[in-house]
């Protein structure tokens, strides 16, 4: 049942994120990245070297989740086109929810903590709690993606916990833009599209892809969305002053 398995999957992912975040968020910068990658590797070897979830062979899921009420099928995820639009609906909903969060008092407080942690702390913002909540939300969204991936491919392997998956996601974020809700989605389109084009044209696609990613990051530090700004002459978004953020949070 989708109504049972989906909340459990997302809840467990968010719960694990809460535990990892409580430890990892005590570090900053590159150390934070290294700690989170280390946790990923620990979990990789836990599932790879034990019989949990099938060990190194992974676990097979031979059926799609059932979206039904009172025994009546509402959405037949066995049909590829239906599954596609179901995933697309999740993507749109995720972008909408994240946009609301960013524009909410919580989002303004989180941005204030990002821009000037010391000043935000002096204004009374609970920095650690804000970041932990954001980390847990991220973990829950990763749970949504993992659930849908398992439903699509019918297979879950320990390799999904490896550092290369995290690295790919980080590259998508860098390509799309760090300070844009839809930026990582754009980055995913660019990276996966580039990969598919290169795969079909050359056997050295990995080398060319790596060079292309380096060029994009160096030439477009604000991400691919910077091209739209240059093309249409839109003004860059001005980051609100931390005092503005504090005023909005306190007002709310």
């Amino acid at each position: 049942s989708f109504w049972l398995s989906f909340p459990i999957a997302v809840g467990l992912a968010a719960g694990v994120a809460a535990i990892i975040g409580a430890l990892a968020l005590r570090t900053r910068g590159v150390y934070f990245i290294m700690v989170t990658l280390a946790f990923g590797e620990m979990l990789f070897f836990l599932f790879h070297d034990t019989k949990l979830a099938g060990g190194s062979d992974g676990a097979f899921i031979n059926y799609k989740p059932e979206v039904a009420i009172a025994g009546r099928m509402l959405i037949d995820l066995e049909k590829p086109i239906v599954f596609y639009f179901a995933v697309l609906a999740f993507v749109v909903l995720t972008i909408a929810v994240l946009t609301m969060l960013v524009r909410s008092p919580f989002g303004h407080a989180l941005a204030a903590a990002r821009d000037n942690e010391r000043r935000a702390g002096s204004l009374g913002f609970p920095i650690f709690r804000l970041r932990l909540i954001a980390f847990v939300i991220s973990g829950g969204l990763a749970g949504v993606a993992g659930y849908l991936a398992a439903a699509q491919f019918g297979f879950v392997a320990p390799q999904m916990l490896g550092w290369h998956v995290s690295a790919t996601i980080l590259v998508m974020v860098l390509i799309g833009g760090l300070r844009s809700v839809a930026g990582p989605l754009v980055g995913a389109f660019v990276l996966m599209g580039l990969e598919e084009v290169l795969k079909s044209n050359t056997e050295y696609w990995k080398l060319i892809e790596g060079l292309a990613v380096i060029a994009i990051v160096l030439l477009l530090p604000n991400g691919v969305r910077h091209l739209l700004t240059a093309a249409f002459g839109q003004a860059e978004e001005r980051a609100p002053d931390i005092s503005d953020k504090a005023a909005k949070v306190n007002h709310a």
Side-chain angles (χ1 to χ4, degrees):
S1 171
F2 171 86
W3 309 115
L4 178 63
S5 57
F6 180 75
I8 291 176
V10 177
L12 283 175
V16 172
I19 296 172
I20 295 176
L23 300 172
L25 287 170
R26 301 181 188 279
T27 60
R28 294 288 182 272
V30 68
Y31 300 104
F32 171 76
I33 296 175
M34 295 302 296
V35 168
T36 52
L37 290 177
F39 271 110
E41 286 296 292
M42 289 168 56
L43 290 173
F44 165 75
F45 283 108
L46 172 65
F47 284 94
H48 186 274
D49 297 342
T50 66
K51 295 300 181 181
L52 289 172
S56 60
D57 293 330
F60 289 91
I61 305 169
N62 299 318
Y63 49 85
K64 292 286 193 294
E66 292 185 358
V67 185
I69 295 180
R72 183 175 182 179
M73 185 73 68
L74 298 180
I75 303 175
D76 187 2
L77 296 179
E78 292 284 354
K79 298 178 180 179
I81 188 67
V82 175
F83 188 88
Y84 170 82
F85 280 107
V87 174
L88 183 61
F90 271 107
V91 172
V92 174
L93 180 62
T94 299
I95 295 297
V97 170
L98 289 178
T99 300
M100 291 174 58
L101 280 176
V102 168
R103 295 176 179 177
S104 70
F106 168 76
H108 288 296
L110 198 62
R114 176 199 64 203
D115 294 341
N116 193 323
E117 180 179 349
R118 183 174 297 179
R119 188 175 178 188
S122 68
L123 291 171
F125 291 177
I127 306 297
F128 182 81
R129 192 192 314 163
L130 289 170
R131 288 175 171 165
L132 182 59
I133 293 173
F135 198 86
V136 171
I137 292 173
S138 299
L141 291 176
V144 173
Y147 181 89
L148 295 174
Q152 177 184 359
F153 301 115
F155 176 73
V156 178
Q159 286 74 18
M160 295 179 72
L161 290 163
W163 66 267
H164 59 282
V165 177
S166 297
T168 300
I169 295 173
L170 286 174
V171 170
M172 291 176 179
V173 174
L174 289 174
I175 291 176
L178 286 169
R179 298 196 177 188
S180 170
V181 172
L185 184 62
V186 175
F189 273 114
V190 172
L191 184 65
M192 301 309 295
L194 178 64
E195 185 173 303
E196 291 300 322
V197 171
L198 293 176
K199 274 183 180 180
S200 60
N201 288 282
T202 176
E203 60 180 312
Y204 304 108
W205 64 273
K206 274 287 187 183
L207 174 62
I208 300 175
E209 180 187 35
L211 293 173
V213 169
I214 293 173
I216 292 174
V217 173
L218 291 177
L219 298 176
L220 301 171
N222 294 323
V224 175
R225 69 187 182 93
H226 183 67
L227 286 177
L228 299 177
T229 302
F232 298 104
Q234 298 173 354
E236 289 284 347
E237 292 183 5
R238 182 185 67 87
D241 185 78
I242 188 172
S243 58
D244 297 337
K245 298 187 181 83
K248 291 180 180 178
V249 173
N250 291 330
H251 176 70

